Amino acid sequence: MSAEALEIALPKALEAARADAAAQGLNYAGGVRPAVAWALVQSGKAVLVDVRSAEERKFVGHVPGSQHVAWATGTALTRNPRFVRELEAKLAKDGGKDAVVLLLCRSGKRSVLAAEAAAAAGFHHVFNVLEGFEGEIDELQHRGGGDGWRFHQLPWVQD
């Protein structure tokens, strides 16, 4: 870990997430709930990166001001082999691999995979946004009825 990464004082919510992640043996920094993620982004303490496909962002909506680096692309959700390089380039002005990054996907599952890949590539403060943008699928095969960014009525737009 670089000297800069060790010097960053993380907000209490992220320190708690990091401790939980360590206790669970995760290789990335941990997970935060949507409302915590939004508060961190609003305060300028973290960068939100949407890892869903461009199609999902366009047709389902996205968080205003979020960055975009697709973890997978197309209707088959083919893994983006350039994900880590694109993430590093997108975050260059925010500290690159030392940036505090919150990754968001549909339900919080692909963003875990993206967080694992980013951590393995040397990103020091990469967190998953739990619940994702739309939340888990319910017994009626619908999303957004019990959890997720939109369920919590956090800001989002649709182009």
Side-chain angles (χ1 to χ4, degrees), residues 72-101:
T73 60
T75 56
L77 292 177
T78 303
R79 164 87 161 74
N80 175 3
R82 297 172 307 283
F83 174 77
V84 170
R85 286 193 313 266
E86 291 175 10
L87 183 63
E88 190 169 7
K90 190 71 72 161
L91 298 173
K93 67 178 177 45
D94 296 303
K97 290 183 176 181
D98 289 324
V100 177
V101 184

Side-chain angles (χ1 to χ4, degrees), residues 1 4-19 29-30 32 40 45-46 98-102 124-127:
M1 190 177 292
E4 301 88 52
L6 293 173
E7 293 175 19
I8 291 177
L10 294 175
K12 286 184 183 184
L14 294 182
E15 286 296 348
R18 188 180 293 283
V32 296
L40 291 165
K45 295 180 179 172
D98 289 324
V100 177
V101 184
L102 308 174
H124 305 291
H125 310 291
V126 63
F127 296 84

Side-chain angles (χ1 to χ4, degrees), residues 19-105:
D20 289 345
Q24 294 174 47
L26 303 179
N27 77 330
Y28 60 96
V32 296
R33 300 271 172 222
V36 172
W38 181 242
L40 291 165
V41 169
Q42 285 297 105
S43 67
K45 295 180 179 172
V47 177
L48 183 65
V49 178
D50 192 330
V51 300
R52 296 174 300 148
S53 70
E55 295 85 1
E56 286 175 289
R57 284 176 51 93
K58 179 177 175 70
F59 296 113
V60 179
H62 63 275
V63 178
S66 62
Q67 299 292 327
H68 179 236
V69 180
W71 170 251
T73 60
T75 56
L77 292 177
T78 303
R79 164 87 161 74
N80 175 3
R82 297 172 307 283
F83 174 77
V84 170
R85 286 193 313 266
E86 291 175 10
L87 183 63
E88 190 169 7
K90 190 71 72 161
L91 298 173
K93 67 178 177 45
D94 296 303
K97 290 183 176 181
D98 289 324
V100 177
V101 184
L102 308 174
L103 301 179
L104 177 71
C105 71

